[in-house]
Amino acid sequence: FYKSFRMTVTGSLQAVVMAGGKGSRMTDLTSGKAKCLLPVGNMPLVWFPLNMLQSAGFTEALVIVPDSAKQEVSKIPSLYNLSIKLDIVGIPGQQELGTADSLRLVSDKLTGTDIVIVSGDLMMEESMRGMVDMHRMNNAAFTAMLSKPMFDVKNA
């Protein structure tokens, strides 16, 4: 249904990319580099949600990353041909923050009437525009995009 219905997104919609995770389940890969900067193909992992947001019409995003990755993440738009403007907030290396604590850390920067929270390791082909349109059309308080895993990680 939502693919055939398009409404104009109005109002203040703010994107927050949660890319501050340490990659604690993949320490062999993240011992020398922040998870958000790990290469996938020829792009850093955080490029995928940033590109998705830009493709959905976002011109700005608040990006939460480990403090050690701030400088390198700030170069991603120019290095990988993105026009989205990034406001990058670093989480000090010794802190292990969950989603709510990370959002509390940037609460003074949350100015949108609606906030889209995107995982820093989100890779998907589907546009998020339909979900945003449905959220607005229904005047929803909360909308989540979920999917079934493609394979069983526990038994792999």
Side-chain angles (χ1 to χ4, degrees):
F1 163 75
Y2 74 85
K3 288 184 180 185
S4 63
F5 177 80
R6 289 284 183 244
M7 67 184 268
T8 304
V9 175
T10 58
S12 177
L13 181 60
Q14 185 176 12
V16 180
V17 179
M18 307 294 289
K22 294 182 179 184
S24 57
R25 291 183 296 274
M26 53 176 72
T27 54
D28 289 350
L29 298 173
T30 57
S31 62
K33 185 174 275 221
K35 178 182 170 187
C36 64
L37 296 172
L38 291 176
V40 177
N42 60 347
M43 304 292 190
L45 184 58
V46 74
W47 176 87
F48 292 92
L50 294 174
N51 184 62
M52 179 196 65
L53 289 168
Q54 180 176 295
S55 297
F58 286 86
T59 57
E60 300 177 1
L62 178 60
V63 185
I64 301 172
V65 299
D67 228 8
S68 62
K70 278 177 65 173
Q71 186 174 10
E72 209 168 332
V73 170
S74 71
K75 297 175 186 175
I76 288 174
S78 61
L79 290 174
Y80 298 96
N81 202 27
L82 293 173
S83 59
I84 192 166
K85 182 183 173 209
L86 307 182
D87 182 358
I88 303 167
V89 176
I91 296 173
Q94 69 276 12
Q95 288 187 308
E96 183 70 39
L97 302 179
T99 301
D101 286 329
S102 295
L103 290 172
R104 191 172 305 124
L105 179 73
V106 299
S107 62
D108 60 322
K109 295 178 177 276
L110 300 177
T111 58
T113 55
D114 288 315
I115 298 169
V116 174
I117 299 171
V118 178
S119 174
D121 56 7
L122 177 66
M123 297 172 60
M124 63 182 223
E125 294 177 355
E126 185 69 32
S127 170
M128 65 182 286
R129 183 64 188 222
M131 180 187 74
V132 171
D133 288 347
M134 287 296 289
H135 175 84
R136 289 287 174 86
M137 182 180 74
N138 292 304
N139 198 25
F142 177 80
T143 302
M145 182 186 309
L146 307 171
S147 71
K148 291 182 182 177
M150 292 175 61
F151 52 90
D152 184 359
V153 178
K154 291 179 183 174
N155 296 320

